[in-house]
Amino acid sequence: MSLAGLPQHQGGADDLARLLARALLAGHWQPGEAFPRELDVCAHFDVSRNKVRNALASLTATGLIERTAGRGTRVREIGEWHLLDPLISDWMTGIDSLDPKLVRAIFAFRYSAEPVVARLAAEAANADDIQRLETAFQGMTRTAMNPEERGLHAEYDVAFHDAIYQGSHNLVWRQMGHLLRPSIIALIHSSQAHVHHEHEGLDDSLARHNEVLETIRRRDPSAAEHAAREVLKRTAIDLGIVDDPPASSGAVPAANAHTDLEEFS
Amino acid sequence: MSLAGLPQHQGGADDLARLLARALLAGHWQPGEAFPRELDVCAHFDVSRNKVRNALASLTATGLIERTAGRGTRVREIGEWHLLDPLISDWMTGIDSLDPKLVRAIFAFRYSAEPVVARLAAEAANADDIQRLETAFQGMTRTAMNPEERGLHAEYDVAFHDAIYQGSHNLVWRQMGHLLRPSIIALIHSSQAHVHHEHEGLDDSLARHNEVLETIRRRDPSAAEHAAREVLKRTAIDLGIVDDPPASSGAVPAANAHTDLEEFS
DNA sequence: GCTTGCCAAAATGTCTGACATTTAATAGGC
DNA sequence: GCCTATTAAATGTCAGACATTTTGGCAAGC
């Protein structure tokens, strides 16, 4: 595949890396395929070889591509991508055609990890952490009704979940807050197709988020773990990963969600 | 701090980055402190500015340092380091004076995460995964008796735990296998001080590892989760994170391990 | 026909020197 | 005392030449 369809480069420093990375993440090239040569990239975007090399160095550092002298540049398998690198998370956000396999993998990770993190947060969170959770939740509530503020609502959503990871007060868990943004932004695009139950879905989602906040505030680890899992069950429905329950209680899809999620890599 | 005490550079390409990174990870510079200028590094190691810039680009990509034109280069806070970047894991392995805060943080993460991962592995592992677990375990058993093969034993240990993460068949969890190596290598150095119970400790550790293998093989998720936690309780003792139990049953330190671990960030 | 060795082409990696840009400090003028 | 212009110092960028690695082809020799 060539560089033909890509947008124009605007001159920013890491902008070229971002551009190429997003094309890769969107599947513009297949894994194993050859990536354009340095000089071709230089010619197409009319930039110096230096900038191209810097950009390709970023792509190499994140595991997206692999370069060897004399051979050229090849696209690596998805399994080799450094999904936990903040750069990757940054590049992923806002890609409309993100590989569904990736969205499911990230969500499956969150589904298994976030309850444990919420438990840790209920044990370790301090006043600042709870304050962050609270303001994020209030922001979510305030922007829930207005469809115009969908993007802002997502940002508060990200902030809420990130506050859980921060609240764990563990250096490693804290790093994973970055994965939240692409996962939650994907939810916006995905839920376009599920508008039929928007209001009930949002109310339900808010109630479950509130439960997480309250359980962490009162330092109840087991309840926090449970509440976080309930939030993610709701999210699984909104992401279209599991079927919408037949407007019944809401606890029904639990088993489905569990078994379904485990099948995806 | 200057470059005075650092070893000599051998000419490898990413070798300079490794050298500087290990000095950073070992605490040779304090967070917030100024890092030597490009030209000073060039002069000290007698390499071209190009190589220095490449090395510093790696350190920047992993969040170890922060560079701004005109200002210079500064060392970032530990909380900003990209601990999940494979490069960092690679650089960390074998550092004898690794920050104990880091060792504890990584272990606390494993203690909360690995049981969940073992559960997933018991649900998703295929024949190849179980084969990997088995050969790793056999390697651990074979090298357990001989103190000469301590390093090899650690490698099999890493392979065993990595196989658990691989067995989860989740793209995100798989990335975290890299964290195992520094954590387990640290165990070697640390357990030098606890030689008084080497034999019993190793036997006990092997038995617990075997339990993980068997529960995954028979696809018993809850048992696998429990077994993985038991392995890590043993590891906590060997790492010196919790006190050695008074030679009693072995289930006693459980509560201690749990409460102790949660206090560390 | 098959192998072996050599050479040339193509790609990435490296060096060097000059220049650009950003930041911070400093000296001067009002 | 404050604002501004200048200077110094550091990182960022450029352009061109050269080095190194890999691949493939071609030809000589068995």
Side-chain angles (χ1 to χ4, degrees):
Chain A
M1 196 77 186
S2 75
L3 298 160
L6 301 185
Q8 273 308 313
H9 172 53
Q10 292 297 347
D14 317 280
D15 201 33
L16 181 59
R18 180 185 194 80
L19 191 90
L20 296 173
R22 289 170 69 88
L24 278 165
L25 292 173
H28 200 274
W29 287 278
Q30 293 304 314
E33 196 177 346
F35 195 83
R37 299 165 306 188
E38 287 183 356
L39 295 178
D40 289 343
V41 183
C42 294
H44 183 78
F45 294 105
D46 190 34
V47 294
S48 74
R49 191 175 164 221
N50 217 325
K51 275 188 175 167
V52 172
R53 281 186 63 77
N54 284 342
L56 295 185
S58 281
L59 303 192
T60 305
T62 48
L64 293 184
I65 61 176
E66 186 180 17
R67 319 190 70 201
T68 47
R71 238 163 87 83
T73 303
R74 315 192 75 184
V75 180
R76 299 184 75 179
E77 302 288 334
I78 293 188
E80 306 292 324
W81 296 357
H82 303 171
L83 294 179
L84 296 163
D85 191 309
L87 271 181
I88 294 265
S89 297
D90 183 31
W91 292 334
M92 278 199 299
T93 62
I95 294 183
D96 45 348
S97 65
L98 197 57
D99 192 336
K101 196 193 305 179
L102 268 182
V103 177
R104 277 204 301 266
I106 295 177
F107 182 80
F109 164 75
R110 289 183 58 198
Y111 188 82
S112 55
E114 220 159 299
V116 178
V117 181
R119 166 180 282 273
L120 291 179
E123 288 161 346
N126 59 26
D128 285 350
D129 299 316
I130 292 175
Q131 182 61 45
R132 265 202 302 274
L133 276 174
E134 192 152 349
T135 55
F137 178 71
Q138 287 169 355
M140 288 179 69
T141 308
R142 180 156 33 81
T143 56
M145 304 307 167
N146 191 351
E148 301 281 326
E149 298 182 303
R150 197 173 227 166
L152 195 55
H153 180 78
E155 285 303 322
Y156 283 119
D157 199 346
V158 172
F160 185 90
H161 290 270
D162 189 50
I164 299 178
Y165 285 79
Q166 298 300 314
S168 76
H169 282 247
N170 178 280
L171 286 178
V172 182
W173 282 118
R174 284 184 121 138
Q175 302 279 326
M176 296 177 198
H178 298 290
L179 261 181
L180 296 169
R181 193 174 304 273
S183 173
I184 289 176
I185 301 292
L187 199 147
I188 295 187
H189 296 96
S190 158
S191 66
Q192 306 270 14
H194 299 245
V195 277
H196 54 282
H197 61 286
E198 199 164 64
H199 264 278
E200 316 93 69
L202 265 179
D203 284 352
D204 186 28
S205 174
L206 279 177
R208 299 188 186 204
H209 278 80
N210 185 50
E211 183 66 11
V212 172
L213 167 58
E214 290 306 324
T215 52
I216 291 180
R217 192 208 302 277
R218 90 169 95 103
R219 306 196 168 263
D220 186 339
S222 296
E225 179 174 350
H226 179 74
R229 192 169 281 119
E230 290 300 315
V231 166
L232 287 165
K233 282 177 189 167
R234 172 80 248 171
T235 307
I237 299 171
D238 296 339
L239 270 173
I241 289 180
V242 298
D243 288 341
D244 199 7
S248 65
S249 76
V252 178
N256 279 337
H258 199 57
T259 52
D260 267 339
L261 286 170
E262 287 144 6
E263 298 175 4
F264 299 116
S265 56
Chain B
M1 197 76 186
S2 75
L3 298 160
L6 301 185
Q8 272 309 313
H9 171 53
Q10 291 298 346
D14 318 277
D15 200 33
L16 181 58
R18 180 185 196 80
L19 192 91
L20 297 173
R22 289 170 70 88
L24 277 166
L25 292 173
H28 201 274
W29 287 278
Q30 291 305 312
E33 196 176 347
F35 195 84
R37 300 165 305 189
E38 288 183 354
L39 294 177
D40 289 344
V41 182
C42 294
H44 183 77
F45 294 104
D46 190 34
V47 294
S48 73
R49 192 176 164 219
N50 215 328
K51 275 189 175 166
V52 172
R53 282 186 62 76
N54 284 342
L56 295 186
S58 281
L59 303 192
T60 305
T62 48
L64 293 183
I65 61 176
E66 185 180 18
R67 317 190 70 201
T68 47
R71 240 164 87 82
T73 303
R74 316 192 76 185
V75 180
R76 298 184 76 180
E77 301 288 333
I78 293 189
E80 306 292 322
W81 296 357
H82 301 171
L83 295 180
L84 297 163
D85 191 310
L87 270 180
I88 293 264
S89 297
D90 183 31
W91 292 334
M92 277 199 298
T93 62
I95 296 183
D96 47 347
S97 64
L98 196 58
D99 191 337
K101 196 195 304 178
L102 266 183
V103 177
R104 277 204 300 265
I106 294 177
F107 182 80
F109 163 76
R110 288 183 60 197
Y111 188 81
S112 55
E114 220 158 301
V116 178
V117 181
R119 166 180 282 274
L120 291 179
E123 288 161 347
N126 59 27
D128 284 351
D129 298 318
I130 292 175
Q131 182 60 46
R132 265 203 303 273
L133 276 175
E134 192 152 348
T135 56
F137 178 71
Q138 287 169 354
M140 288 179 70
T141 308
R142 179 155 36 82
T143 56
M145 305 307 166
N146 191 351
E148 301 280 328
E149 298 181 301
R150 196 173 228 166
L152 195 54
H153 181 78
E155 285 304 320
Y156 284 120
D157 199 348
V158 171
F160 184 89
H161 289 270
D162 189 49
I164 299 178
Y165 285 79
Q166 299 300 314
S168 76
H169 282 246
N170 178 279
L171 286 177
V172 182
W173 282 118
R174 286 185 125 143
Q175 302 280 324
M176 296 178 199
H178 298 290
L179 262 180
L180 296 168
R181 193 173 306 271
S183 173
I184 290 177
I185 301 294
L187 200 146
I188 295 187
H189 295 97
S190 157
S191 67
Q192 306 270 14
H194 299 244
V195 277
H196 53 283
H197 60 288
E198 200 164 64
H199 264 278
E200 315 93 68
L202 266 178
D203 285 351
D204 185 28
S205 175
L206 279 176
R208 299 188 186 204
H209 278 80
N210 185 49
E211 184 66 12
V212 172
L213 166 59
E214 291 305 325
T215 52
I216 291 181
R217 192 209 302 277
R218 88 170 97 100
R219 305 195 168 264
D220 186 339
S222 297
E225 179 175 349
H226 178 75
R229 190 169 283 118
E230 289 300 316
V231 166
L232 287 166
K233 283 177 189 166
R234 173 79 248 171
T235 307
I237 298 171
D238 296 339
L239 269 172
I241 289 180
V242 298
D243 287 342
D244 198 8
S248 65
S249 76
V252 178
N256 279 337
H258 200 55
T259 50
D260 266 339
L261 287 170
E262 286 143 9
E263 296 174 5
F264 297 118
S265 53

